[in-house]
Amino acid sequence: MIKKVLSLSLLSLITVSMYGGGYRVSMQGNRQLAMGHTGVAVINNGAESLFFNPAASVYSKNKLEVSAGMNYLVADTKFQNKTYDWQNETRNPGTPFYVYGSYKATDWLNVGLAIYSPYGSAVTWDRNWEGSHLVNNIDLKAIYFQPTVAVKVSKYFSFGGGPIFVNGGVTFDKNVSRSMVNEEGERTSVEIKAKNVTAWGWTAGYLVTVDDHLRLGFNYRSKIVMKENSGSAHFSNVPAFGASLFKDGKIKAEMPLPAELTTGLSYEYGKWLFAFDYNYVFWSAYKALTIEFVDSPLGKSVNPRNYKNSSTYRFGLQYKVDDQLSLRAGWYYDQSPVQPGYFAPETPRNDSRAYTGGLTYKFKNGIGVDLVFSYLHFSDTNSSYDYYMEDGRDVSFGGTYKTAVTSGGIGINYSF
């Protein structure tokens, strides 16, 4: 039982690259976020193209483009189980950021570097709450480094891409069971730490310009395999009878981060720009998570996840008032990959809808300011996690989850 429960701990290492505080947060550029986080077929919207589709960067009208920004988000989750009169709620902040630099070396060649932290946040429930055998708190951090090269074959076609290097870490705390206490009556818990976990992947895309108005884009990010060989497990309040089993020491884990594909179009007419992106994530790579407790008799544990592939549909609109001011709005629908029976409180997310808006004001000295606001509402769900094993049988934990994320962001861009 304990081995299977503890295998939830490094689930958070997966969520380093997929979630921020238990939900997926798409905030890799404030201009594009204001347009529903579309951008795979958008050009001339700054260095943010390096993330959305490197192939689009080569069509920039500027020699140099630099863009940097951050968001402040607040995630609210409420949990209730009316059958047992359980209630809890958690409010957690996050500050994802990005820095992009793009240089047009020639008319047909563009190089750039993207640095971003799309998933760095936390989830903290009340200590020893009803679901503490699954999670007390998670603190996630990750930084992505992505150098890119883009080549323009003609005015109708370009391609681009590059490697992705990820550096991340996690601190995770939970109780080891629903009832275990030491001789003083204090709940037995474990804290998992993993620092400087690194991995490599790659991204590639192309852009087709049909005419002066219509463009089609495609971008693919590869599966990334995260390996942790020197993480640590620290147990607290262990009763005497469990001292030989719950021993501090190293842990090992290996897990895939799913590939994703984005395709879409943009249509520009006069001062108006419309964009649509379709994003498909190959979540089915997550059948289970395996963790090895190197210095403990707990040995190797396997935790089923059984995720399904999921889609996101994004829509964005931009109106260019003049050369200085642009207004934007957007919306997207994001499907959850979690299947019935696998809904855990360390990732309390369901299908969601996002509403976004913002603007850019460009000063005559080449400096611009990007402002954005977004509201992400998750569908209320009555769900459970049914694979916590205790006394040789699976025990279910669940209830109704209500989650919403509110954020505001500011960015600075410069071009010449």
Side-chain angles (χ1 to χ4, degrees):
M1 177 269 291
I2 297 300
K3 291 195 292 184
K4 193 168 185 179
V5 175
L6 288 178
S7 65
L8 282 169
S9 301
L10 280 200
L11 170 64
S12 54
L13 207 54
I14 290 180
T15 63
V16 164
S17 70
M18 299 185 294
Y19 296 95
Y23 45 83
R24 183 169 183 168
V25 179
S26 298
M27 295 180 177
Q28 282 72 69
N30 286 338
R31 286 189 180 189
Q32 301 310 136
L33 174 58
M35 292 180 62
H37 214 249
T38 58
V40 72
V42 175
I43 68 170
N44 295 322
N45 231 1
E48 295 180 11
S49 295
L50 297 178
F51 172 83
F52 292 91
N53 186 356
S57 63
V58 76
Y59 290 99
S60 173
K61 298 177 181 179
N62 303 303
K63 187 73 171 179
L64 175 69
E65 293 180 332
V66 178
S67 181
M70 69 172 294
N71 293 79
Y72 181 79
L73 64 88
V74 177
D76 293 289
T77 299
K78 294 182 179 180
F79 168 81
Q80 183 180 39
N81 185 309
K82 293 183 179 180
T83 302
Y84 299 104
D85 195 27
W86 294 341
Q87 294 187 54
N88 212 299
E89 60 183 85
T90 177
R91 166 169 283 192
N92 301 282
T95 55
F97 72 91
Y98 61 89
V99 179
Y100 302 131
S102 179
Y103 178 71
K104 195 169 184 179
T106 69
D107 181 63
W108 57 271
L109 178 66
N110 192 87
V111 295
L113 176 64
I115 303 173
Y116 48 98
S117 63
Y119 319 97
S121 190
V123 171
T124 301
W125 295 93
D126 290 342
R127 190 76 185 176
N128 299 327
W129 72 297
E130 291 84 357
S132 62
H133 58 288
L134 299 177
V135 60
N136 276 314
N137 62 73
I138 294 176
D139 187 10
L140 312 172
K141 294 180 176 64
I143 300 177
Y144 284 41
F145 300 85
Q146 179 187 305
T148 63
V149 175
V151 176
K152 180 168 63 175
V153 179
S154 72
K155 67 177 183 179
Y156 300 107
F157 181 78
S158 65
F159 65 90
I164 298 175
F165 173 75
V166 184
N167 184 291
V170 58
T171 300
F172 180 88
D173 181 275
K174 63 178 293 299
N175 292 348
V176 301
S177 77
R178 296 189 301 167
S179 58
M180 184 176 292
V181 297
N182 65 7
E183 286 71 19
E184 286 73 38
E186 300 168 312
R187 296 285 297 276
T188 306
S189 64
V190 60
E191 182 182 55
I192 298 291
K193 288 186 177 181
K195 297 181 179 179
N196 296 319
V197 183
T198 61
W200 287 90
W202 56 273
T203 183
Y206 66 78
L207 185 73
V208 176
T209 300
V210 179
D211 54 35
D212 292 339
H213 305 286
L214 179 63
R215 293 179 178 86
L216 308 176
F218 171 94
N219 187 243
Y220 179 81
R221 284 185 177 80
S222 71
K223 182 174 71 173
I224 298 175
V225 178
M226 303 289 287
K227 295 182 179 181
E228 172 54 67
N229 293 315
S230 58
S232 64
H234 173 68
F235 296 90
S236 300
N237 303 323
V238 178
F241 71 85
S244 61
L245 181 63
F246 303 110
K247 297 176 63 176
D248 295 354
K250 289 185 177 182
I251 57 171
K252 293 182 179 181
E254 179 177 323
M255 61 218 74
L257 307 181
E260 64 177 285
L261 180 153
T262 305
T263 186
L265 60 86
S266 69
Y267 187 84
E268 191 171 4
Y269 185 80
K271 295 184 176 183
W272 291 94
L273 172 66
F274 169 80
F276 167 75
D277 283 10
Y278 170 73
N279 176 259
Y280 188 78
V281 183
F282 297 87
W283 288 98
S284 60
Y286 294 104
K287 296 301 182 185
L289 173 67
T290 301
I291 299 175
E292 180 182 354
F293 295 87
V294 178
D295 301 314
S296 168
L298 290 170
K300 185 176 290 187
S301 61
V302 178
N303 180 71
R305 301 312 293 171
N306 199 29
Y307 285 176
K308 63 180 180 180
N309 296 341
S310 65
S311 300
T312 304
Y313 305 86
R314 307 178 184 276
F315 300 87
L317 188 67
Q318 174 182 278
Y319 178 71
K320 192 172 183 180
V321 179
D322 52 37
D323 289 340
Q324 292 181 285
L325 179 63
S326 297
L327 305 177
R328 303 182 181 93
W331 178 89
Y332 67 79
Y333 172 68
D334 188 6
Q335 295 178 337
S336 172
V338 181
Q339 300 203 68
Y342 295 88
F343 198 96
E346 79 272 12
T347 54
R349 66 164 301 203
N350 196 25
D351 296 348
S352 62
R353 295 162 180 82
Y355 306 85
T356 69
L359 61 87
T360 292
Y361 187 83
K362 194 79 172 180
F363 297 94
K364 293 184 178 180
N365 61 1
I367 296 177
V369 177
D370 306 314
L371 299 177
V372 64
F373 174 83
S374 67
Y375 176 74
L376 184 61
H377 175 74
F378 292 82
S379 300
D380 296 352
T381 180
N382 193 334
S383 301
S384 62
Y385 186 81
D386 301 335
Y387 297 93
Y388 173 85
M389 184 171 285
E390 184 171 273
D391 299 327
R393 63 186 181 91
D394 288 325
V395 178
S396 178
F397 175 85
T400 300
Y401 292 86
K402 299 181 178 182
T403 302
V405 181
T406 305
S407 73
I410 184 171
I412 304 294
N413 62 81
Y414 175 74
S415 62
F416 71 84

